[in-house]
mmCIF file with all atom_site columns, all heavy atoms in Angstrom:
data_model
loop_
_atom_site.group_PDB
_atom_site.id
_atom_site.type_symbol
_atom_site.label_atom_id
_atom_site.label_alt_id
_atom_site.label_comp_id
_atom_site.label_asym_id
_atom_site.label_entity_id
_atom_site.label_seq_id
_atom_site.pdbx_PDB_ins_code
_atom_site.Cartn_x
_atom_site.Cartn_y
_atom_site.Cartn_z
_atom_site.occupancy
_atom_site.B_iso_or_equiv
_atom_site.pdbx_formal_charge
_atom_site.auth_seq_id
_atom_site.auth_comp_id
_atom_site.auth_asym_id
_atom_site.auth_atom_id
_atom_site.pdbx_PDB_model_num
ATOM 1   N N   . LEU A 1 1  ? 4.706   -10.792 5.325  1.00 0.00 ? 1  LEU A N   1
ATOM 2   C CA  . LEU A 1 1  ? 5.631   -10.611 4.203  1.00 0.00 ? 1  LEU A CA  1
ATOM 3   C C   . LEU A 1 1  ? 7.059   -10.465 4.694  1.00 0.00 ? 1  LEU A C   1
ATOM 4   O O   . LEU A 1 1  ? 8.008   -10.955 4.070  1.00 0.00 ? 1  LEU A O   1
ATOM 5   C CB  . LEU A 1 1  ? 5.223   -9.383  3.386  1.00 0.00 ? 1  LEU A CB  1
ATOM 6   C CG  . LEU A 1 1  ? 3.939   -9.534  2.571  1.00 0.00 ? 1  LEU A CG  1
ATOM 7   C CD1 . LEU A 1 1  ? 3.445   -8.168  2.109  1.00 0.00 ? 1  LEU A CD1 1
ATOM 8   C CD2 . LEU A 1 1  ? 4.164   -10.449 1.371  1.00 0.00 ? 1  LEU A CD2 1
ATOM 9   N N   . HIS A 1 2  ? 7.224   -9.790  5.824  1.00 0.00 ? 2  HIS A N   1
ATOM 10  C CA  . HIS A 1 2  ? 8.564   -9.647  6.408  1.00 0.00 ? 2  HIS A CA  1
ATOM 11  C C   . HIS A 1 2  ? 9.104   -11.005 6.856  1.00 0.00 ? 2  HIS A C   1
ATOM 12  O O   . HIS A 1 2  ? 10.284  -11.320 6.629  1.00 0.00 ? 2  HIS A O   1
ATOM 13  C CB  . HIS A 1 2  ? 8.495   -8.679  7.597  1.00 0.00 ? 2  HIS A CB  1
ATOM 14  C CG  . HIS A 1 2  ? 9.798   -8.492  8.296  1.00 0.00 ? 2  HIS A CG  1
ATOM 15  N ND1 . HIS A 1 2  ? 10.860  -7.804  7.748  1.00 0.00 ? 2  HIS A ND1 1
ATOM 16  C CD2 . HIS A 1 2  ? 10.222  -8.919  9.512  1.00 0.00 ? 2  HIS A CD2 1
ATOM 17  C CE1 . HIS A 1 2  ? 11.869  -7.795  8.594  1.00 0.00 ? 2  HIS A CE1 1
ATOM 18  N NE2 . HIS A 1 2  ? 11.507  -8.471  9.671  1.00 0.00 ? 2  HIS A NE2 1
ATOM 19  N N   . GLN A 1 3  ? 8.264   -11.821 7.462  1.00 0.00 ? 3  GLN A N   1
ATOM 20  C CA  . GLN A 1 3  ? 8.683   -13.152 7.897  1.00 0.00 ? 3  GLN A CA  1
ATOM 21  C C   . GLN A 1 3  ? 9.093   -14.028 6.720  1.00 0.00 ? 3  GLN A C   1
ATOM 22  O O   . GLN A 1 3  ? 9.992   -14.858 6.829  1.00 0.00 ? 3  GLN A O   1
ATOM 23  C CB  . GLN A 1 3  ? 7.552   -13.821 8.687  1.00 0.00 ? 3  GLN A CB  1
ATOM 24  C CG  . GLN A 1 3  ? 7.288   -13.184 10.045 1.00 0.00 ? 3  GLN A CG  1
ATOM 25  C CD  . GLN A 1 3  ? 6.026   -13.719 10.702 1.00 0.00 ? 3  GLN A CD  1
ATOM 26  O OE1 . GLN A 1 3  ? 5.363   -14.619 10.186 1.00 0.00 ? 3  GLN A OE1 1
ATOM 27  N NE2 . GLN A 1 3  ? 5.675   -13.150 11.858 1.00 0.00 ? 3  GLN A NE2 1
ATOM 28  N N   . LYS A 1 4  ? 8.441   -13.827 5.581  1.00 0.00 ? 4  LYS A N   1
ATOM 29  C CA  . LYS A 1 4  ? 8.760   -14.590 4.372  1.00 0.00 ? 4  LYS A CA  1
ATOM 30  C C   . LYS A 1 4  ? 9.963   -14.019 3.627  1.00 0.00 ? 4  LYS A C   1
ATOM 31  O O   . LYS A 1 4  ? 10.378  -14.566 2.606  1.00 0.00 ? 4  LYS A O   1
ATOM 32  C CB  . LYS A 1 4  ? 7.549   -14.616 3.439  1.00 0.00 ? 4  LYS A CB  1
ATOM 33  C CG  . LYS A 1 4  ? 6.375   -15.418 3.958  1.00 0.00 ? 4  LYS A CG  1
ATOM 34  C CD  . LYS A 1 4  ? 5.116   -15.163 3.145  1.00 0.00 ? 4  LYS A CD  1
ATOM 35  C CE  . LYS A 1 4  ? 5.298   -15.535 1.687  1.00 0.00 ? 4  LYS A CE  1
ATOM 36  N NZ  . LYS A 1 4  ? 4.035   -15.312 0.920  1.00 0.00 ? 4  LYS A NZ  1
ATOM 37  N N   . ASN A 1 5  ? 10.490  -12.899 4.139  1.00 0.00 ? 5  ASN A N   1
ATOM 38  C CA  . ASN A 1 5  ? 11.628  -12.229 3.491  1.00 0.00 ? 5  ASN A CA  1
ATOM 39  C C   . ASN A 1 5  ? 11.291  -11.842 2.039  1.00 0.00 ? 5  ASN A C   1
ATOM 40  O O   . ASN A 1 5  ? 12.112  -11.974 1.131  1.00 0.00 ? 5  ASN A O   1
ATOM 41  C CB  . ASN A 1 5  ? 12.874  -13.118 3.525  1.00 0.00 ? 5  ASN A CB  1
ATOM 42  C CG  . ASN A 1 5  ? 14.156  -12.318 3.317  1.00 0.00 ? 5  ASN A CG  1
ATOM 43  O OD1 . ASN A 1 5  ? 14.224  -11.127 3.659  1.00 0.00 ? 5  ASN A OD1 1
ATOM 44  N ND2 . ASN A 1 5  ? 15.165  -12.953 2.750  1.00 0.00 ? 5  ASN A ND2 1
ATOM 45  N N   . GLU A 1 6  ? 10.066  -11.387 1.849  1.00 0.00 ? 6  GLU A N   1
ATOM 46  C CA  . GLU A 1 6  ? 9.584   -11.002 0.525  1.00 0.00 ? 6  GLU A CA  1
ATOM 47  C C   . GLU A 1 6  ? 10.302  -9.743  0.035  1.00 0.00 ? 6  GLU A C   1
ATOM 48  O O   . GLU A 1 6  ? 10.512  -8.793  0.796  1.00 0.00 ? 6  GLU A O   1
ATOM 49  C CB  . GLU A 1 6  ? 8.090   -10.723 0.582  1.00 0.00 ? 6  GLU A CB  1
ATOM 50  C CG  . GLU A 1 6  ? 7.412   -10.602 -0.752 1.00 0.00 ? 6  GLU A CG  1
ATOM 51  C CD  . GLU A 1 6  ? 7.077   -11.933 -1.386 1.00 0.00 ? 6  GLU A CD  1
ATOM 52  O OE1 . GLU A 1 6  ? 6.520   -12.801 -0.693 1.00 0.00 ? 6  GLU A OE1 1
ATOM 53  O OE2 . GLU A 1 6  ? 7.385   -12.097 -2.571 1.00 0.00 ? 6  GLU A OE2 1
ATOM 54  N N   . LYS A 1 7  ? 10.672  -9.743  -1.237 1.00 0.00 ? 7  LYS A N   1
ATOM 55  C CA  . LYS A 1 7  ? 11.311  -8.565  -1.830 1.00 0.00 ? 7  LYS A CA  1
ATOM 56  C C   . LYS A 1 7  ? 10.219  -7.636  -2.369 1.00 0.00 ? 7  LYS A C   1
ATOM 57  O O   . LYS A 1 7  ? 9.405   -8.035  -3.193 1.00 0.00 ? 7  LYS A O   1
ATOM 58  C CB  . LYS A 1 7  ? 12.260  -8.953  -2.967 1.00 0.00 ? 7  LYS A CB  1
ATOM 59  C CG  . LYS A 1 7  ? 12.964  -7.771  -3.622 1.00 0.00 ? 7  LYS A CG  1
ATOM 60  C CD  . LYS A 1 7  ? 13.855  -8.227  -4.770 1.00 0.00 ? 7  LYS A CD  1
ATOM 61  C CE  . LYS A 1 7  ? 14.614  -7.049  -5.375 1.00 0.00 ? 7  LYS A CE  1
ATOM 62  N NZ  . LYS A 1 7  ? 13.722  -6.044  -5.998 1.00 0.00 ? 7  LYS A NZ  1
ATOM 63  N N   . ILE A 1 8  ? 10.217  -6.405  -1.902 1.00 0.00 ? 8  ILE A N   1
ATOM 64  C CA  . ILE A 1 8  ? 9.223   -5.423  -2.339 1.00 0.00 ? 8  ILE A CA  1
ATOM 65  C C   . ILE A 1 8  ? 9.944   -4.145  -2.739 1.00 0.00 ? 8  ILE A C   1
ATOM 66  O O   . ILE A 1 8  ? 10.671  -3.558  -1.935 1.00 0.00 ? 8  ILE A O   1
ATOM 67  C CB  . ILE A 1 8  ? 8.192   -5.140  -1.229 1.00 0.00 ? 8  ILE A CB  1
ATOM 68  C CG1 . ILE A 1 8  ? 7.450   -6.418  -0.844 1.00 0.00 ? 8  ILE A CG1 1
ATOM 69  C CG2 . ILE A 1 8  ? 7.198   -4.063  -1.670 1.00 0.00 ? 8  ILE A CG2 1
ATOM 70  C CD1 . ILE A 1 8  ? 6.564   -6.265  0.371  1.00 0.00 ? 8  ILE A CD1 1
ATOM 71  N N   . ASP A 1 9  ? 9.745   -3.731  -3.978 1.00 0.00 ? 9  ASP A N   1
ATOM 72  C CA  . ASP A 1 9  ? 10.362  -2.495  -4.455 1.00 0.00 ? 9  ASP A CA  1
ATOM 73  C C   . ASP A 1 9  ? 9.510   -1.275  -4.142 1.00 0.00 ? 9  ASP A C   1
ATOM 74  O O   . ASP A 1 9  ? 10.028  -0.185  -3.885 1.00 0.00 ? 9  ASP A O   1
ATOM 75  C CB  . ASP A 1 9  ? 10.591  -2.562  -5.976 1.00 0.00 ? 9  ASP A CB  1
ATOM 76  C CG  . ASP A 1 9  ? 11.546  -3.676  -6.370 1.00 0.00 ? 9  ASP A CG  1
ATOM 77  O OD1 . ASP A 1 9  ? 12.630  -3.756  -5.764 1.00 0.00 ? 9  ASP A OD1 1
ATOM 78  O OD2 . ASP A 1 9  ? 11.207  -4.469  -7.272 1.00 0.00 ? 9  ASP A OD2 1
ATOM 79  N N   . SER A 1 10 ? 8.193   -1.452  -4.189 1.00 0.00 ? 10 SER A N   1
ATOM 80  C CA  . SER A 1 10 ? 7.295   -0.325  -3.945 1.00 0.00 ? 10 SER A CA  1
ATOM 81  C C   . SER A 1 10 ? 6.039   -0.800  -3.228 1.00 0.00 ? 10 SER A C   1
ATOM 82  O O   . SER A 1 10 ? 5.460   -1.824  -3.580 1.00 0.00 ? 10 SER A O   1
ATOM 83  C CB  . SER A 1 10 ? 6.901   0.330   -5.274 1.00 0.00 ? 10 SER A CB  1
ATOM 84  O OG  . SER A 1 10 ? 5.943   1.357   -5.069 1.00 0.00 ? 10 SER A OG  1
ATOM 85  N N   . ILE A 1 11 ? 5.647   -0.051  -2.212 1.00 0.00 ? 11 ILE A N   1
ATOM 86  C CA  . ILE A 1 11 ? 4.326   -0.207  -1.589 1.00 0.00 ? 11 ILE A CA  1
ATOM 87  C C   . ILE A 1 11 ? 3.451   0.820   -2.278 1.00 0.00 ? 11 ILE A C   1
ATOM 88  O O   . ILE A 1 11 ? 3.704   2.024   -2.192 1.00 0.00 ? 11 ILE A O   1
ATOM 89  C CB  . ILE A 1 11 ? 4.405   0.053   -0.078 1.00 0.00 ? 11 ILE A CB  1
ATOM 90  C CG1 . ILE A 1 11 ? 5.346   -0.969  0.589  1.00 0.00 ? 11 ILE A CG1 1
ATOM 91  C CG2 . ILE A 1 11 ? 3.018   0.007   0.549  1.00 0.00 ? 11 ILE A CG2 1
ATOM 92  C CD1 . ILE A 1 11 ? 5.827   -0.540  1.954  1.00 0.00 ? 11 ILE A CD1 1
ATOM 93  N N   . THR A 1 12 ? 2.426   0.348   -2.987 1.00 0.00 ? 12 THR A N   1
ATOM 94  C CA  . THR A 1 12 ? 1.765   1.198   -3.972 1.00 0.00 ? 12 THR A CA  1
ATOM 95  C C   . THR A 1 12 ? 0.262   1.326   -3.742 1.00 0.00 ? 12 THR A C   1
ATOM 96  O O   . THR A 1 12 ? -0.479  0.347   -3.801 1.00 0.00 ? 12 THR A O   1
ATOM 97  C CB  . THR A 1 12 ? 1.993   0.635   -5.395 1.00 0.00 ? 12 THR A CB  1
ATOM 98  O OG1 . THR A 1 12 ? 3.390   0.423   -5.607 1.00 0.00 ? 12 THR A OG1 1
ATOM 99  C CG2 . THR A 1 12 ? 1.455   1.594   -6.442 1.00 0.00 ? 12 THR A CG2 1
ATOM 100 N N   . TYR A 1 13 ? -0.178  2.567   -3.502 1.00 0.00 ? 13 TYR A N   1
ATOM 101 C CA  . TYR A 1 13 ? -1.609  2.852   -3.539 1.00 0.00 ? 13 TYR A CA  1
ATOM 102 C C   . TYR A 1 13 ? -2.092  2.714   -4.978 1.00 0.00 ? 13 TYR A C   1
ATOM 103 O O   . TYR A 1 13 ? -1.644  3.438   -5.872 1.00 0.00 ? 13 TYR A O   1
ATOM 104 C CB  . TYR A 1 13 ? -1.887  4.276   -3.094 1.00 0.00 ? 13 TYR A CB  1
ATOM 105 C CG  . TYR A 1 13 ? -1.872  4.542   -1.621 1.00 0.00 ? 13 TYR A CG  1
ATOM 106 C CD1 . TYR A 1 13 ? -0.935  5.403   -1.063 1.00 0.00 ? 13 TYR A CD1 1
ATOM 107 C CD2 . TYR A 1 13 ? -2.827  3.980   -0.782 1.00 0.00 ? 13 TYR A CD2 1
ATOM 108 C CE1 . TYR A 1 13 ? -0.941  5.706   0.295  1.00 0.00 ? 13 TYR A CE1 1
ATOM 109 C CE2 . TYR A 1 13 ? -2.843  4.261   0.578  1.00 0.00 ? 13 TYR A CE2 1
ATOM 110 C CZ  . TYR A 1 13 ? -1.901  5.129   1.112  1.00 0.00 ? 13 TYR A CZ  1
ATOM 111 O OH  . TYR A 1 13 ? -1.918  5.402   2.454  1.00 0.00 ? 13 TYR A OH  1
ATOM 112 N N   . ALA A 1 14 ? -3.002  1.807   -5.205 1.00 0.00 ? 14 ALA A N   1
ATOM 113 C CA  . ALA A 1 14 ? -3.570  1.608   -6.535 1.00 0.00 ? 14 ALA A CA  1
ATOM 114 C C   . ALA A 1 14 ? -5.022  1.179   -6.323 1.00 0.00 ? 14 ALA A C   1
ATOM 115 O O   . ALA A 1 14 ? -5.779  1.853   -5.654 1.00 0.00 ? 14 ALA A O   1
ATOM 116 C CB  . ALA A 1 14 ? -2.760  0.581   -7.324 1.00 0.00 ? 14 ALA A CB  1
ATOM 117 N N   . GLY A 1 15 ? -5.431  0.056   -6.902 1.00 0.00 ? 15 GLY A N   1
ATOM 118 C CA  . GLY A 1 15 ? -6.736  -0.502  -6.592 1.00 0.00 ? 15 GLY A CA  1
ATOM 119 C C   . GLY A 1 15 ? -7.854  -0.005  -7.473 1.00 0.00 ? 15 GLY A C   1
ATOM 120 O O   . GLY A 1 15 ? -7.647  0.412   -8.610 1.00 0.00 ? 15 GLY A O   1
ATOM 121 N N   . ASN A 1 16 ? -9.071  -0.015  -6.927 1.00 0.00 ? 16 ASN A N   1
ATOM 122 C CA  . ASN A 1 16 ? -10.295 0.126   -7.715 1.00 0.00 ? 16 ASN A CA  1
ATOM 123 C C   . ASN A 1 16 ? -10.788 1.568   -7.811 1.00 0.00 ? 16 ASN A C   1
ATOM 124 O O   . ASN A 1 16 ? -11.933 1.881   -7.496 1.00 0.00 ? 16 ASN A O   1
ATOM 125 C CB  . ASN A 1 16 ? -11.388 -0.762  -7.126 1.00 0.00 ? 16 ASN A CB  1
ATOM 126 C CG  . ASN A 1 16 ? -10.979 -2.222  -7.093 1.00 0.00 ? 16 ASN A CG  1
ATOM 127 O OD1 . ASN A 1 16 ? -10.144 -2.659  -7.870 1.00 0.00 ? 16 ASN A OD1 1
ATOM 128 N ND2 . ASN A 1 16 ? -11.567 -2.984  -6.188 1.00 0.00 ? 16 ASN A ND2 1
ATOM 129 N N   . GLY A 1 17 ? -9.919  2.461   -8.249 1.00 0.00 ? 17 GLY A N   1
ATOM 130 C CA  . GLY A 1 17 ? -10.308 3.852   -8.405 1.00 0.00 ? 17 GLY A CA  1
ATOM 131 C C   . GLY A 1 17 ? -9.266  4.797   -7.835 1.00 0.00 ? 17 GLY A C   1
ATOM 132 O O   . GLY A 1 17 ? -8.069  4.516   -7.864 1.00 0.00 ? 17 GLY A O   1
ATOM 133 N N   . GLU A 1 18 ? -9.715  5.920   -7.294 1.00 0.00 ? 18 GLU A N   1
ATOM 134 C CA  . GLU A 1 18 ? -8.818  6.961   -6.801 1.00 0.00 ? 18 GLU A CA  1
ATOM 135 C C   . GLU A 1 18 ? -8.587  6.818   -5.295 1.00 0.00 ? 18 GLU A C   1
ATOM 136 O O   . GLU A 1 18 ? -9.497  7.046   -4.488 1.00 0.00 ? 18 GLU A O   1
ATOM 137 C CB  . GLU A 1 18 ? -9.398  8.347   -7.114 1.00 0.00 ? 18 GLU A CB  1
ATOM 138 C CG  . GLU A 1 18 ? -8.631  9.516   -6.528 1.00 0.00 ? 18 GLU A CG  1
ATOM 139 C CD  . GLU A 1 18 ? -7.151  9.504   -6.872 1.00 0.00 ? 18 GLU A CD  1
ATOM 140 O OE1 . GLU A 1 18 ? -6.786  9.105   -8.009 1.00 0.00 ? 18 GLU A OE1 1
ATOM 141 O OE2 . GLU A 1 18 ? -6.344  9.881   -6.004 1.00 0.00 ? 18 GLU A OE2 1
ATOM 142 N N   . PRO A 1 19 ? -7.378  6.447   -4.863 1.00 0.00 ? 19 PRO A N   1
ATOM 143 C CA  . PRO A 1 19 ? -7.140  6.175   -3.445 1.00 0.00 ? 19 PRO A CA  1
ATOM 144 C C   . PRO A 1 19 ? -7.303  7.387   -2.534 1.00 0.00 ? 19 PRO A C   1
ATOM 145 O O   . PRO A 1 19 ? -7.692  7.245   -1.378 1.00 0.00 ? 19 PRO A O   1
ATOM 146 C CB  . PRO A 1 19 ? -5.696  5.654   -3.421 1.00 0.00 ? 19 PRO A CB  1
ATOM 147 C CG  . PRO A 1 19 ? -5.079  6.158   -4.678 1.00 0.00 ? 19 PRO A CG  1
ATOM 148 C CD  . PRO A 1 19 ? -6.181  6.193   -5.685 1.00 0.00 ? 19 PRO A CD  1
ATOM 149 N N   . THR A 1 20 ? -7.021  8.591   -3.056 1.00 0.00 ? 20 THR A N   1
ATOM 150 C CA  . THR A 1 20 ? -7.068  9.765   -2.190 1.00 0.00 ? 20 THR A CA  1
ATOM 151 C C   . THR A 1 20 ? -8.491  10.223  -1.868 1.00 0.00 ? 20 THR A C   1
ATOM 152 O O   . THR A 1 20 ? -8.677  11.165  -1.093 1.00 0.00 ? 20 THR A O   1
ATOM 153 C CB  . THR A 1 20 ? -6.282  10.932  -2.812 1.00 0.00 ? 20 THR A CB  1
ATOM 154 O OG1 . THR A 1 20 ? -6.890  11.317  -4.050 1.00 0.00 ? 20 THR A OG1 1
ATOM 155 C CG2 . THR A 1 20 ? -4.841  10.544  -3.076 1.00 0.00 ? 20 THR A CG2 1
ATOM 156 N N   . ILE A 1 21 ? -9.481  9.561   -2.443 1.00 0.00 ? 21 ILE A N   1
ATOM 157 C CA  . ILE A 1 21 ? -10.875 9.822   -2.045 1.00 0.00 ? 21 ILE A CA  1
ATOM 158 C C   . ILE A 1 21 ? -11.094 9.513   -0.563 1.00 0.00 ? 21 ILE A C   1
ATOM 159 O O   . ILE A 1 21 ? -11.911 10.144  0.097  1.00 0.00 ? 21 ILE A O   1
ATOM 160 C CB  . ILE A 1 21 ? -11.845 8.962   -2.891 1.00 0.00 ? 21 ILE A CB  1
ATOM 161 C CG1 . ILE A 1 21 ? -11.971 9.528   -4.297 1.00 0.00 ? 21 ILE A CG1 1
ATOM 162 C CG2 . ILE A 1 21 ? -13.218 8.871   -2.255 1.00 0.00 ? 21 ILE A CG2 1
ATOM 163 C CD1 . ILE A 1 21 ? -12.826 8.671   -5.203 1.00 0.00 ? 21 ILE A CD1 1
ATOM 164 N N   . HIS A 1 22 ? -10.347 8.543   -0.041 1.00 0.00 ? 22 HIS A N   1
ATOM 165 C CA  . HIS A 1 22 ? -10.608 8.063   1.323  1.00 0.00 ? 22 HIS A CA  1
ATOM 166 C C   . HIS A 1 22 ? -10.486 9.218   2.319  1.00 0.00 ? 22 HIS A C   1
ATOM 167 O O   . HIS A 1 22 ? -9.486  9.936   2.333  1.00 0.00 ? 22 HIS A O   1
ATOM 168 C CB  . HIS A 1 22 ? -9.626  6.956   1.706  1.00 0.00 ? 22 HIS A CB  1
ATOM 169 C CG  . HIS A 1 22 ? -10.123 6.109   2.832  1.00 0.00 ? 22 HIS A CG  1
ATOM 170 N ND1 . HIS A 1 22 ? -10.216 6.580   4.124  1.00 0.00 ? 22 HIS A ND1 1
ATOM 171 C CD2 . HIS A 1 22 ? -10.595 4.830   2.864  1.00 0.00 ? 22 HIS A CD2 1
ATOM 172 C CE1 . HIS A 1 22 ? -10.702 5.627   4.896  1.00 0.00 ? 22 HIS A CE1 1
ATOM 173 N NE2 . HIS A 1 22 ? -10.938 4.557   4.161  1.00 0.00 ? 22 HIS A NE2 1
ATOM 174 N N   . PRO A 1 23 ? -11.491 9.428   3.168  1.00 0.00 ? 23 PRO A N   1
ATOM 175 C CA  . PRO A 1 23 ? -11.459 10.560  4.102  1.00 0.00 ? 23 PRO A CA  1
ATOM 176 C C   . PRO A 1 23 ? -10.358 10.461  5.153  1.00 0.00 ? 23 PRO A C   1
ATOM 177 O O   . PRO A 1 23 ? -10.004 11.476  5.765  1.00 0.00 ? 23 PRO A O   1
ATOM 178 C CB  . PRO A 1 23 ? -12.846 10.525  4.750  1.00 0.00 ? 23 PRO A CB  1
ATOM 179 C CG  . PRO A 1 23 ? -13.324 9.126   4.572  1.00 0.00 ? 23 PRO A CG  1
ATOM 180 C CD  . PRO A 1 23 ? -12.744 8.665   3.266  1.00 0.00 ? 23 PRO A CD  1
ATOM 181 N N   . GLU A 1 24 ? -9.820  9.247   5.371  1.00 0.00 ? 24 GLU A N   1
ATOM 182 C CA  . GLU A 1 24 ? -8.738  9.064   6.345  1.00 0.00 ? 24 GLU A CA  1
ATOM 183 C C   . GLU A 1 24 ? -7.417  8.752   5.626  1.00 0.00 ? 24 GLU A C   1
ATOM 184 O O   . GLU A 1 24 ? -6.552  8.076   6.179  1.00 0.00 ? 24 GLU A O   1
ATOM 185 C CB  . GLU A 1 24 ? -9.100  7.932   7.303  1.00 0.00 ? 24 GLU A CB  1
ATOM 186 C CG  . GLU A 1 24 ? -10.333 8.218   8.145  1.00 0.00 ? 24 GLU A CG  1
ATOM 187 C CD  . GLU A 1 24 ? -10.722 7.045   9.016  1.00 0.00 ? 24 GLU A CD  1
ATOM 188 O OE1 . GLU A 1 24 ? -11.278 6.067   8.481  1.00 0.00 ? 24 GLU A OE1 1
ATOM 189 O OE2 . GLU A 1 24 ? -10.462 7.110   10.236 1.00 0.00 ? 24 GLU A OE2 1
ATOM 190 N N   . PHE A 1 25 ? -7.266  9.278   4.429  1.00 0.00 ? 25 PHE A N   1
ATOM 191 C CA  . PHE A 1 25 ? -6.092  8.970   3.622  1.00 0.00 ? 25 PHE A CA  1
ATOM 192 C C   . PHE A 1 25 ? -4.791  9.330   4.338  1.00 0.00 ? 25 PHE A C   1
ATOM 193 O O   . PHE A 1 25 ? -3.832  8.552   4.326  1.00 0.00 ? 25 PHE A O   1
ATOM 194 C CB  . PHE A 1 25 ? -6.164  9.695   2.276  1.00 0.00 ? 25 PHE A CB  1
ATOM 195 C CG  . PHE A 1 25 ? -5.021  9.403   1.356  1.00 0.00 ? 25 PHE A CG  1
ATOM 196 C CD1 . PHE A 1 25 ? -4.940  8.182   0.708  1.00 0.00 ? 25 PHE A CD1 1
ATOM 197 C CD2 . PHE A 1 25 ? -4.022  10.341  1.151  1.00 0.00 ? 25 PHE A CD2 1
ATOM 198 C CE1 . PHE A 1 25 ? -3.868  7.889   -0.130 1.00 0.00 ? 25 PHE A CE1 1
ATOM 199 C CE2 . PHE A 1 25 ? -2.950  10.061  0.304  1.00 0.00 ? 25 PHE A CE2 1
ATOM 200 C CZ  . PHE A 1 25 ? -2.882  8.839   -0.340 1.00 0.00 ? 25 PHE A CZ  1
ATOM 201 N N   . GLU A 1 26 ? -4.739  10.474  4.990  1.00 0.00 ? 26 GLU A N   1
ATOM 202 C CA  . GLU A 1 26 ? -3.499  10.869  5.655  1.00 0.00 ? 26 GLU A CA  1
ATOM 203 C C   . GLU A 1 26 ? -3.208  9.965   6.853  1.00 0.00 ? 26 GLU A C   1
ATOM 204 O O   . GLU A 1 26 ? -2.053  9.564   7.066  1.00 0.00 ? 26 GLU A O   1
ATOM 205 C CB  . GLU A 1 26 ? -3.554  12.320  6.101  1.00 0.00 ? 26 GLU A CB  1
ATOM 206 C CG  . GLU A 1 26 ? -2.221  12.792  6.684  1.00 0.00 ? 26 GLU A CG  1
ATOM 207 C CD  . GLU A 1 26 ? -2.142  14.282  6.914  1.00 0.00 ? 26 GLU A CD  1
ATOM 208 O OE1 . GLU A 1 26 ? -3.200  14.925  7.137  1.00 0.00 ? 26 GLU A OE1 1
ATOM 209 O OE2 . GLU A 1 26 ? -1.019  14.827  6.883  1.00 0.00 ? 26 GLU A OE2 1
#
């Protein structure tokens, strides 16, 4: 994405449920 010079306003945890469930979230 950096090579493509992509514009990104937010890197966002979202997806298929609750992201903080992941045991290695930190």
